[in-house]
């Protein structure tokens, strides 16, 4: 059960039918249950619904042991809920002093068929609207580009990419009036849209820069048009990043008769991205002081701000602030919070690695986990698997 000392982050995954969404989440969860991970990790990843966890792990084991790809799901939306729970603190006192105990990650899958075809009736249309509405609380959206479809269109990738962006853009426009019944753009909306190449193992010569360049070269105008449509849903489009972050993803290396699940790409970046990228990006946007007050307040509104301050305290290895953080109204207005947030989002490079080493030595598992997340993002960029926007 989620407690008051549990933070929550949501990530929405969009991709056409067959783009690998079910395989991705199965690989993400299944790998976390491997003995090696359980032994070495500072945290446990727990499926909040036992039956869901069993299905995902069965999918993973089917790939690992029987070279069997999970059955596709059609016209179904799924929300997978996981708890990232820290392993034991060295003492009860130490556990009480840390800013939070666990992180709840909700992974939303959007039915791929709704990308490519219309709905069959009023009921399904309403379900499509409700499903999209349920995704609006996510901080991060991951938009999948199918590596197999790129390979099928080698040399003419624009045919696939233009269709991909166009279908999604038109799908959004078809439900816009119901998402915005009074025509007023939303304040709460996924503001970070990462373009991710799924099945990246099929294109081993493509690094994240080549992927970015391919998308922009072949379908830059279509990406711009999608960005324009998304801007129509949200207030203050200055605080919206569509196609500025890029990621390579592969659930395993798939060959004719072999599925090598240990050869994953980018799957281990999912949790660090969901947990810490919104903190980094939202604080940067707010501090740029280019946003309308209402939007700036929303990005660091009370509930979200409490999450971010707790994450920042955890990253910096500071103890929980005295008194309930909930009394803080508008975190950006408090000196403590502003300084803490700025210190947290600028912690990088050698200082980040020193903080991680110190936390490990002192058994400060929360700080070690969060600094480890940030290190993994830096490693992903060095490996050219991840490209983060600098804006």
């Amino acid at each position: 059960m989620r407690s008051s000392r549990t933070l929550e982050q949501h990530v929405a995954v969009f991709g056409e039918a067959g783009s690998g969404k079910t395989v991705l989440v199965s690989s993400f969860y299944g790998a976390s249950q491997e003995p090696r991970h359980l032994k070495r990790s500072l945290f446990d990843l727990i499926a909040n619904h036992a039956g869901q966890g069993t299905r995902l792990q069965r999918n993973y084991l089917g790939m690992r042991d029987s070279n069997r790809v999970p059955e596709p799901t059609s016209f179904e939306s799924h929300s997978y809920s996981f708890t990232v729970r820290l392993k034991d603190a060295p003492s009860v006192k130490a556990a009480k002093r840390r800013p939070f105990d666990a992180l709840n990650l909700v992974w939303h899958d959007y039915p791929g068929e709704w990308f490519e075809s219309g709905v069959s009736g009023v009921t399904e249309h309403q379900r499509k609207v409700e499903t999209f509405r349920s995704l609006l609380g996510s901080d991060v959206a991951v938009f999948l580009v199918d590596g197999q479809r790129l390979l099928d269109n080698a040399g003419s990738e624009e045919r696939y990419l233009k269709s991909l962006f166009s279908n999604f853009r038109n799908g959004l426009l078809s439900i816009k009036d119901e998402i915005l019944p009074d025509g007023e753009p939303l304040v709460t909306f996924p503001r970070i849209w990462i373009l991710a190449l799924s099945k990246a193992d099929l294109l081993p010569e493509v690094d994240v820069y080549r992927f970015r360049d391919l998308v922009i070269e072949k379908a830059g105008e279509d990406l711009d048009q999608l960005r324009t449509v998304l801007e129509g849903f949200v207030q203050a489009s200055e605080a919206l990043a569509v196609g500025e972050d890029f990621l390579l993803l592969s659930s395993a290396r798939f060959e004719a008769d072999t599925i090598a699940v240990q050869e994953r790409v980018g799957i281990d970046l999912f949790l660090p991205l969901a947990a810490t990228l919104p903190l980094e990006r939202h604080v940067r946007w707010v501090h740029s002081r280019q946003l309308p007050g209402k939007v700036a307040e929303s990005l660091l509104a009370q509930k979200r701000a409490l999450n971010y301050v707790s994450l920042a305290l955890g990253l910096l290895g500071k103890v929980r602030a005295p008194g309930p953080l909930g009394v803080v109204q508008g975190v950006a207005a408090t000196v403590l919070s502003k300084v803490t947030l700025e210190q947290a989002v600028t912690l990088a490079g050698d200082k980040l690695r020193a903080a991680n080493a110190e936390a490990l030595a002192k058994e400060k598992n929360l700080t070690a986990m969060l600094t480890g997340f940030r290190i993994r993002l830096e490693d992903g960029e060095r490996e050219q698997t991840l490209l983060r926007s600098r804006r």
Side-chain angles (χ1 to χ4, degrees):
M1 179 180 294
R2 186 170 180 247
S3 74
S4 60
R5 288 174 57 82
T6 300
L7 307 188
E8 187 162 285
Q9 294 289 90
H10 291 245
V11 59
V13 180
F14 296 90
E16 291 180 322
S19 58
K21 298 189 300 299
T22 303
V23 183
L24 281 175
V25 68
S26 299
S27 183
F28 168 77
Y29 180 70
S32 74
Q33 306 306 305
E34 292 278 16
R36 185 180 180 198
H37 177 87
L38 293 172
K39 182 177 180 180
R40 298 177 57 180
S41 177
L42 296 171
F43 60 88
D44 292 317
L45 185 72
I46 303 163
N48 292 337
H49 305 287
Q52 208 171 59
T54 300
R55 284 194 295 278
L56 293 177
Q57 192 168 6
R58 187 173 62 223
N59 288 343
Y60 175 80
L61 295 175
M63 291 192 287
R64 190 193 70 180
D65 299 337
S66 305
N67 300 317
R68 186 178 66 245
V69 178
E71 291 290 328
T73 57
S74 299
F75 294 101
E76 295 178 12
S77 62
H78 295 280
S79 292
Y80 304 95
S81 178
F82 307 101
T83 294
V84 180
R85 186 173 299 283
L86 285 167
K87 292 184 176 175
D88 292 341
S91 68
V92 174
K93 183 180 179 182
K96 287 183 177 179
R97 287 165 60 87
R98 61 191 181 193
F100 62 95
D101 295 324
L103 174 69
N104 194 46
L105 173 68
V106 185
W107 173 316
H108 302 278
D109 269 358
Y110 190 80
E113 289 77 7
W114 288 342
F115 264 98
E116 303 161 84
S117 59
V119 295
S120 59
V122 175
T123 302
E124 189 177 331
H125 176 80
Q126 189 58 37
R127 192 156 63 88
K128 180 178 179 178
V129 172
E130 292 301 324
T131 299
F132 189 78
R133 191 173 284 134
S134 72
L135 304 177
L136 299 182
S138 299
D139 286 322
V140 177
V142 178
F143 187 95
L144 299 182
V145 175
D146 190 333
Q148 181 64 62
R149 300 288 297 276
L150 283 182
L151 201 57
D152 293 342
N153 290 276
S156 301
E157 291 89 351
E158 66 274 12
R159 290 187 301 194
Y160 163 60
L161 291 171
K162 286 176 176 292
S163 170
L164 175 71
F165 292 131
S166 174
N167 286 339
F168 189 58
R169 185 179 69 240
N170 291 333
L172 290 173
L173 290 174
S174 72
I175 59 175
K176 184 175 181 180
D177 289 345
E178 289 151 286
I179 298 297
L180 309 176
D182 57 2
E184 187 71 18
L186 302 168
V187 173
T188 301
F189 191 80
R191 290 178 180 268
I192 304 170
W193 289 70
I194 300 172
L195 288 191
L197 174 64
S198 67
K199 306 174 189 173
D201 57 300
L202 298 175
L203 299 161
E205 76 285 3
V206 175
D207 63 25
V208 75
Y209 291 96
R210 177 62 190 133
F211 172 52
R212 177 199 63 182
D213 294 348
L214 181 69
V215 170
I216 293 174
E217 178 191 357
K218 300 284 187 174
E221 291 183 5
D222 299 87
L223 178 58
D224 273 343
Q225 291 170 9
L226 173 59
R227 183 182 295 118
T228 299
V229 169
L230 287 168
E231 287 174 352
F233 279 82
V234 62
Q235 291 189 28
S237 57
E238 304 94 321
L240 178 69
V242 180
E244 298 179 24
D245 302 85
F246 295 84
L247 175 66
L248 303 186
L249 289 172
S250 179
S251 303
R253 182 171 54 78
F254 293 82
E255 296 186 340
D257 54 359
T258 306
I259 301 176
V261 295
Q262 72 277 13
E263 297 188 34
R264 299 180 298 276
V265 175
I267 303 298
D268 63 335
L269 293 171
F270 233 99
L271 185 53
L273 284 170
T276 66
L277 187 64
L279 164 70
E280 170 188 306
R281 193 66 50 80
H282 290 184
V283 171
R284 189 187 303 165
W285 282 336
V286 168
H287 288 178
S288 72
R289 300 177 180 175
Q290 297 175 347
L291 303 178
K294 184 177 179 182
V295 175
E297 289 173 9
S298 171
L299 290 181
L300 289 181
Q302 189 169 354
K303 182 178 177 183
R304 181 177 273 145
L306 295 179
N307 271 7
Y308 288 166
V309 171
S310 296
L311 279 168
L313 290 170
L315 260 168
L316 297 170
K318 295 183 178 180
V319 300
R320 188 170 48 165
L325 285 170
V327 302
V328 177
Q329 297 293 330
V331 164
T334 69
V335 174
L336 169 64
S337 299
K338 285 179 67 176
V339 171
T340 298
L341 290 170
E342 286 173 357
Q343 288 176 339
V345 299
T346 56
L347 186 62
D350 291 342
K351 289 183 178 178
L352 175 63
R353 290 167 195 275
N356 178 257
E358 180 181 352
L360 287 169
K362 295 182 177 178
E363 298 185 63
K364 298 170 72 172
N365 288 349
L366 176 61
T367 301
M369 180 184 77
L370 293 174
T371 51
F373 283 173
R374 294 287 294 274
I375 289 171
R376 187 64 199 100
L377 296 182
E378 290 189 353
D379 288 347
E381 290 187 311
R382 191 180 63 255
E383 295 160 2
Q384 300 188 359
T385 301
L386 170 68
L387 180 58
R388 278 182 288 181
S389 170
R390 295 295 183 260
R391 185 171 66 86

